[in-house]
């Protein structure tokens, strides 16, 4: 029984080993088949075999990497095809590809999002189709709302953006047509003539309301005792109202083409009633900080925000303030001028070295023997040695003849072309950076002793620019000239040496030139004179003989080094972009008064300039408007006038004259044809006995067809005039 157990255990181990070997062989086969299937295009089976091989051998990193790589390639390929199909509107094919992706990679986020986007696109297509129908039916607001819904969910949809632009254009056209229609029917452009002296303000506006149809609403804080004096002839209602409000310190708000709301021109009331606009200015060339400072200083704009990252200004103010800010920014936001500067730098070096003569030894020595019988090695021998026994040995003696002449000519040419914006520096450096090693020691206390032996040494490297350095700063004038601020430096290493610590130092020769010049476009200026002239003479002569004029070459050697360096600079500017010159109308802007900003001046123009055609007023005619020639509306009043709001030059039975209810001032007797209540208008009847007289046709000037009777003078009591 024990033997069976042993055999059984050994057999189980063998079986396990065999199973493992077979599993390894199966995984290898599946891996190879999976790669072949992937190469053949059968992605589903290939990925299944690769996944099975990786699961069979979890520790095999190669199987795992191959499976993940093929899975990633397959998913990306399917998603790219699905996205392309969705982009061109093939939603069925895109949906199928997304679903295939989910079969390969269950729960893939991009595939799930793609299916959701297809549903959104189909819903948006229906909304855009409805928007097209509404646009065709001229329901612009409904079409805009549907397109706005689409863009809120998918702001990158191009067809929705195009449709939104079409709707916005149609709305602008409709708004412009509506504004033109309102302006054509507005009473503000009608002609009017007023004659009032010290009249009550409300009475004057009542006269305007009755004669022109102008609706006037007063703020409760408008005083009832305000009086005005105005005498205008053939002026528009708008200009006349502005003049009346100006002298009474009032302001107005236009509610529609025929209605005004009048309120006191105080700061509190203007904040309450004035309409404000918000405008976003995206600046291209001007600096947002500079423009912001201009608007704060000139227009006193307080509500303003600046974004330095996008160079954007957001301004909030009245429509006149926004309009003026737009004109100012249009002048400020001009492209900067640009210049190309051609520079030629020529450095000419000439060196002549003359070395001529005989170089004699400068020293001659003698020595006594130090060995042998005559050696003088002690003071005693020198004292007791006979003179004849001394032997003087001479040292070596030599002379050298120099016959040398060296000429060198060096030219260094640099021709850079610099492009620079107006008032911006441009730099160029042609040369090398020479390293300079610097060692710094820091004493450290050790054992109570502080000294150099205990110091810490720190080395640092600095680089010196050696060569040609040029810096230019152009400024383009409106006349086409170019001003150039120029800095030129030419440097070279003349000598180098080291100190005790091994630090290297350079002796640098430098020539600088700084100038400001103004040149025409294309004009060339040559700057020279940066000359360095070195002349050195080195002589080695025999004293006496070498100083004689004819013998100095035989008993001496002369070396002359003559070195001359000159730098010549040629500079030529070319204007690429000239400065933008604003139109005279853009440079001269009207800005209102100190207390109020206005885009246009307060004027009282003749009605001909308002209507666009010359006016043909009829003297004393009350009324106006219509499609015929402009005819002024006349209202009179005041202590010296016959009656307020009445022109007595026409009979009340003229059908063209509206007869409103009039208030007769105390002490004034109204004429017999004026009543306080409206009367029916009856055409004049000719007497039956009188022969029929043809009615004269209206004159081209718009005169009345009926002859105007002589005015009935009405004089208030107590007024001699």
């Amino acid at each position: 029984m024990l033997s069976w157990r042993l055999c059984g255990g050994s057999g189980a181990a063998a079986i396990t080993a065999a199973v493992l070997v077979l599993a390894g062989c199966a995984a290898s086969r599946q891996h190879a088949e999976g790669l072949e299937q992937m190469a053949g295009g059968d992605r589903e089976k290939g990925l299944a075999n690769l996944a099975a091989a990786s699961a069979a051998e979890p520790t095999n990193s190669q199987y795992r990497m191959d499976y993940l790589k093929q899975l990633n390639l397959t998913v990306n390929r399917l998603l790219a095809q699905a996205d392309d199909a969705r982009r061109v509107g093939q939603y069925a094919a895109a949906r199928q590809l997304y679903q295939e992706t989910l079969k390969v990679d269950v729960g893939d986020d991009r595939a799930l999002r793609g299916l959701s986007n297809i549903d959104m696109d189909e819903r948006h297509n229906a909304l855009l189709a409805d928007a097209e129908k509404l646009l065709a039916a001229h329901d612009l607001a409904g079409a805009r709302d549907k397109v706005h819904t689409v863009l809120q969910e998918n702001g990158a949809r191009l067809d929705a953006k195009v449709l939104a632009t079409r709707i916005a254009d149609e709305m602008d056209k409709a708004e412009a047509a509506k504004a033109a229609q309102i302006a054509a029917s507005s009473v503000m452009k009608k002609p009017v003539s007023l004659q009032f002296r010290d009249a009550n303000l409300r009475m004057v506006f009542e006269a305007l309301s009755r004669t022109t149809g102008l609706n006037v609403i007063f703020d409760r804080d408008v005083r009832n005792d305000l009086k005005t004096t105005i005498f205008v002839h053939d002026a528009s209602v708008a200009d006349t109202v502005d003049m009346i409000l100006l002298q009474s310190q009032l302001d107005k708000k236009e509610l529609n083409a025929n209605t005004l709301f009048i309120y006191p021109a105080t700061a509190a009331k203007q904040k309450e009633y004035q309409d404000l606009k918000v405008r976003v200015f995206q600046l291209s060339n001007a600096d947002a900080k500079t423009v912001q400072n201009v608007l704060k200083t000139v227009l006193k704009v307080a509500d303003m925000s600046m974004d330095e990252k996008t160079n954007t200004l957001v301004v909030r103010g009245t429509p006149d303030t926004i309009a003026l800010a737009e004109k100012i920014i249009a002048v400020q936001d001009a492209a900067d001028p640009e210049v190309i500067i051609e520079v030629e730098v020529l450095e000419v070096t000439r060196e002549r070295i003359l070395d001529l003569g005989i170089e004699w030894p400068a020293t001659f020595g003698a020595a006594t023997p130090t060995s042998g019988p005559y050696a003088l090695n002690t003071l005693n021998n020198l004292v007791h040695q006979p003179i004849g026994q001394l032997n003087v040995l001479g040292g070596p003696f030599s002379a050298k003849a120099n016959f040398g002449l060296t000429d060198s000519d060096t030219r260094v040419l640099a021709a850079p072309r610099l492009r620079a914006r107006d008032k911006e520096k441009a730099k160029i450096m042609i040369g090398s950076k020479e390293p300079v090693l610097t060692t710094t020691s820091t004493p450290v206390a050790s054992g109570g002793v502080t000294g150099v032996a205990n110091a810490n040494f720190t080395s640092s490297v600095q680089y010196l620019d050696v060569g040609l350095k040029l810096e230019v700063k152009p400024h383009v004038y409106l006349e086409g000239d170019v001003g150039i601020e120029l800095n030129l430096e030419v440097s070279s290493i003349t000598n180098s040496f080291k100190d005790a610590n091994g630090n290297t130092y350079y002796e640098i020769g430098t020539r600088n030139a700084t100038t400001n010049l103004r040149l025409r476009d294309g004009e060339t200026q040559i700057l020279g004179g940066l000359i360095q002239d070195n002349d050195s003479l080195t002589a080695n002569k025999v004293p006496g003989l070498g100083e004689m004029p004819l013998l100095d070459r035989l008993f001496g050697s002369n070396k002359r080094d003559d070195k001359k360096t000159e730098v010549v600079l040629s500079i030529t500017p070319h204007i690429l972009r000239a400065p933008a010159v604003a139109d005279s109308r853009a440079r001269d802007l009207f800005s209102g008064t100190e207390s109020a900003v206005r885009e246009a001046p307060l004027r009282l123009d003749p009605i001909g300039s308002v209507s666009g055609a010359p006016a043909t007023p009829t003297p004393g005619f009350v009324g106006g408007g219509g499609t015929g020639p402009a005819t002024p509306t006349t209202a009179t009043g005041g202590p010296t006038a016959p009656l307020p709001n009445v022109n007595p030059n026409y009979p009340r039975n003229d059908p063209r004259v509206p007869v409103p209810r009039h208030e007769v001032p105390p002490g004034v007797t109204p004429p017999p044809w004026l009543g306080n209540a409206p009367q029916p208008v009856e055409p004049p009847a000719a007497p039956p006995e009188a022969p029929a007289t043809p009615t004269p046709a209206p004159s081209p000037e718009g005169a009345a067809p009926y002859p105007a009777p002589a005015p009935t003078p009405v004089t208030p009591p107590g007024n001699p005039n």
Side-chain angles (χ1 to χ4, degrees):
M1 191 69 180
L2 179 62
S3 175
W4 179 86
R5 289 179 179 176
L6 292 174
C7 293
S10 176
I15 292 173
T16 302
V19 170
L20 291 175
V21 171
L22 292 176
C25 294
S28 177
R29 185 177 65 255
Q30 288 176 334
H31 178 262
E33 290 178 357
L35 292 178
E36 292 178 359
Q37 290 168 349
M38 292 299 300
D42 192 355
R43 295 187 296 267
E44 185 174 354
K45 292 183 179 180
L47 286 174
N49 285 328
L50 290 175
S54 177
E57 292 189 15
T59 59
N60 193 327
S61 61
Q62 184 64 39
Y63 290 177
R64 184 65 178 171
M65 291 298 297
D66 288 343
Y67 168 68
L68 293 177
K69 178 180 179 181
Q70 294 299 327
L71 177 64
N72 187 45
L73 290 175
T74 302
V75 169
N76 288 338
R77 187 182 299 111
L78 289 173
L79 289 175
Q81 294 175 359
D83 291 340
D84 292 339
R86 172 177 168 256
R87 192 177 298 111
V88 297
Q90 299 177 359
Y91 298 117
R95 190 184 299 275
Q96 182 180 358
L97 289 170
Y98 285 131
Q99 291 174 351
E100 290 182 7
T101 304
L102 291 176
K103 291 180 182 179
V104 174
D105 185 11
V106 179
D108 185 81
D109 183 68
R110 290 178 58 188
L112 294 174
R113 191 167 59 249
L115 292 174
S116 176
N117 289 336
I118 290 177
D119 296 337
M120 181 184 66
D121 289 343
E122 292 176 346
R123 186 175 69 256
H124 288 173
N125 289 339
L127 289 174
L128 293 179
D130 294 342
E132 288 282 1
K133 295 179 182 179
L134 293 175
L135 178 60
H138 299 288
D139 186 0
L140 302 180
R144 181 192 58 188
D145 293 340
K146 291 186 177 296
V147 175
H148 182 66
T149 302
V150 174
L151 290 177
Q152 278 187 326
E153 297 181 6
N154 186 7
R157 182 149 181 168
L158 183 60
D159 54 350
K161 291 181 179 180
V162 173
L163 183 56
T165 303
R166 288 174 51 199
I167 295 174
D169 293 341
E170 292 296 329
M171 295 186 74
D172 291 341
K173 292 179 182 178
E175 188 68 24
K178 181 180 178 181
Q181 182 180 4
I182 292 175
S185 61
S186 173
V187 301
M188 303 302 291
K189 300 301 181 183
K190 287 185 177 182
V192 66
S193 296
L194 294 181
Q195 298 179 13
F196 288 98
R197 179 180 293 128
D198 293 334
N200 184 273
L201 182 70
R202 295 177 183 267
M203 185 185 69
V204 174
F205 276 105
E206 183 180 358
L208 283 175
S209 176
R210 292 182 178 182
T211 55
T212 64
L214 177 66
N215 301 323
V216 181
I217 303 174
F218 288 94
D219 183 82
R220 62 181 180 181
D221 293 332
V222 177
R223 292 163 46 197
N224 296 325
D225 58 346
L226 291 177
K227 296 183 180 297
T228 184
T229 298
I230 184 169
F231 298 92
V232 296
H233 177 71
D234 191 18
S236 67
V237 174
D239 293 343
T240 304
V241 169
D242 288 340
M243 290 297 176
I244 295 174
L245 297 181
L246 177 64
Q247 59 177 317
S248 301
Q249 295 182 353
L250 300 174
D251 206 344
K252 73 177 187 300
K253 181 177 182 179
E254 296 186 10
L255 303 181
N256 56 41
N258 302 326
T259 306
L260 296 180
F261 180 76
I262 297 176
Y263 57 90
T266 60
K269 291 294 183 180
Q270 288 176 344
K271 288 183 179 180
E272 183 178 355
Y273 294 127
Q274 273 189 344
D275 293 328
L276 301 178
K277 294 176 63 177
V278 175
R279 176 68 62 84
V280 179
F281 295 100
Q282 293 181 332
L283 306 179
S284 177
N285 303 285
D287 182 50
K289 286 185 177 179
T290 304
V291 176
Q292 184 185 32
N293 185 42
V294 171
L295 296 182
K296 284 184 178 179
T297 305
V298 177
L299 297 183
K300 305 297 187 296
V301 179
D303 299 335
M304 191 163 31
S305 176
M306 178 188 64
D307 186 0
E308 294 186 6
K309 183 178 179 180
T310 59
N311 204 34
T312 302
L313 273 180
V314 182
V315 182
R316 182 173 183 261
T318 63
D320 286 334
T321 301
I322 297 297
L324 281 174
E326 183 177 5
K327 294 178 181 179
I328 293 175
I329 291 176
V331 177
Q332 294 281 325
D333 194 22
D336 294 334
E338 285 191 82
V339 182
I340 280 187
I341 300 177
E342 296 180 355
V343 181
E344 293 184 1
V345 182
L346 179 64
E347 183 179 8
V348 181
T349 302
R350 296 183 179 89
E351 187 173 8
R352 184 181 181 91
I353 301 176
L354 177 62
D355 191 0
L356 182 62
I358 299 176
E359 187 174 349
W360 298 93
T363 60
F364 178 80
T368 60
T370 59
S371 62
Y374 302 104
L376 298 178
N377 50 12
T378 63
L379 182 60
N380 183 41
N381 292 341
L382 179 61
V383 174
H384 296 89
Q385 187 72 21
I387 296 300
Q389 295 180 354
L390 292 176
N391 186 13
V392 179
L393 300 177
F397 179 83
S398 63
K400 182 175 68 173
N402 296 324
F403 303 95
L405 178 61
T406 303
D407 282 333
S408 62
D409 192 352
T410 305
R411 301 180 63 190
V412 179
L413 178 64
R417 292 168 59 91
L418 304 177
R419 179 168 179 168
R421 294 169 55 189
D422 185 54
K423 296 183 180 179
E424 295 289 338
K425 288 184 179 181
K427 300 179 181 180
I428 188 171
M429 193 272 175
I430 303 175
S432 61
K433 289 182 175 290
E434 299 297 334
V436 177
L437 181 63
T438 304
T439 303
T440 305
S441 62
T442 304
V444 177
S446 177
V449 179
T450 303
V452 179
N454 302 322
N456 290 333
F457 293 91
T458 304
S459 299
S460 62
V461 179
Q462 296 180 349
Y463 291 90
L464 299 178
D465 293 331
V466 179
L468 171 67
K469 290 193 293 185
L470 179 66
E471 180 181 299
V472 293
K473 183 179 179 181
H475 171 56
V476 183
Y477 294 91
L478 295 178
E479 296 81 2
D481 294 350
V482 180
I484 301 176
E485 181 180 338
L486 183 142
N487 294 321
L488 174 66
E489 178 180 330
V490 180
S491 58
S492 60
I493 298 177
T494 59
N495 193 10
S496 63
F497 55 92
K498 295 184 178 180
D499 59 6
N501 296 326
N503 299 327
T504 303
Y505 300 94
Y506 294 98
E507 181 180 336
I508 298 177
T510 304
R511 281 159 290 170
N512 298 314
T514 301
T515 183
N516 287 306
L517 62 156
R518 178 168 176 170
L519 303 176
R520 295 187 300 273
D521 184 15
E523 181 183 0
T524 301
Q525 178 64 45
I526 297 178
L527 303 176
L530 296 178
I531 301 174
Q532 182 178 4
D533 194 355
N534 297 327
D535 189 2
S536 61
L537 176 62
T538 303
N540 185 10
K541 302 179 181 181
V542 176
L545 296 176
E547 297 177 359
M548 294 183 179
L550 298 179
L551 301 177
D552 56 349
R553 300 296 182 182
L554 293 176
F555 296 94
S557 176
N558 298 312
K559 183 178 180 181
R560 179 181 296 274
D561 187 355
D562 188 3
K563 184 176 181 180
K564 184 176 182 180
T565 304
E566 181 178 3
V567 177
V568 179
L569 173 67
S570 172
I571 184 168
T572 305
H574 297 282
I575 298 177
L576 288 183
R577 183 182 291 112
V581 180
D583 187 77
S584 59
R585 292 170 294 183
R587 297 196 304 265
D588 188 7
L589 302 177
F590 180 82
S591 63
T593 62
E594 184 68 23
S595 59
V597 176
R598 284 177 171 268
E599 183 186 6
L602 187 63
R603 302 176 59 182
L604 193 63
D605 295 324
I607 194 60
S609 63
V610 175
S611 62
T616 55
T618 301
F621 182 72
V622 182
T627 58
T631 53
T633 298
T634 303
T636 59
T640 60
L643 283 175
N645 312 333
V646 175
N647 187 345
N649 293 332
Y650 284 90
R652 68 180 306 275
N653 59 3
D654 191 332
R656 299 171 304 171
V657 182
V659 182
R661 179 179 178 87
H662 297 284
E663 299 293 336
V664 181
V668 178
T669 302
W673 48 267
L674 177 64
N676 285 334
Q679 302 294 331
V681 178
E682 299 177 357
E689 298 80 10
T693 303
T695 303
S699 62
E701 292 77 11
Y706 300 99
T712 303
V714 179
T715 304
N719 191 342
N721 297 324

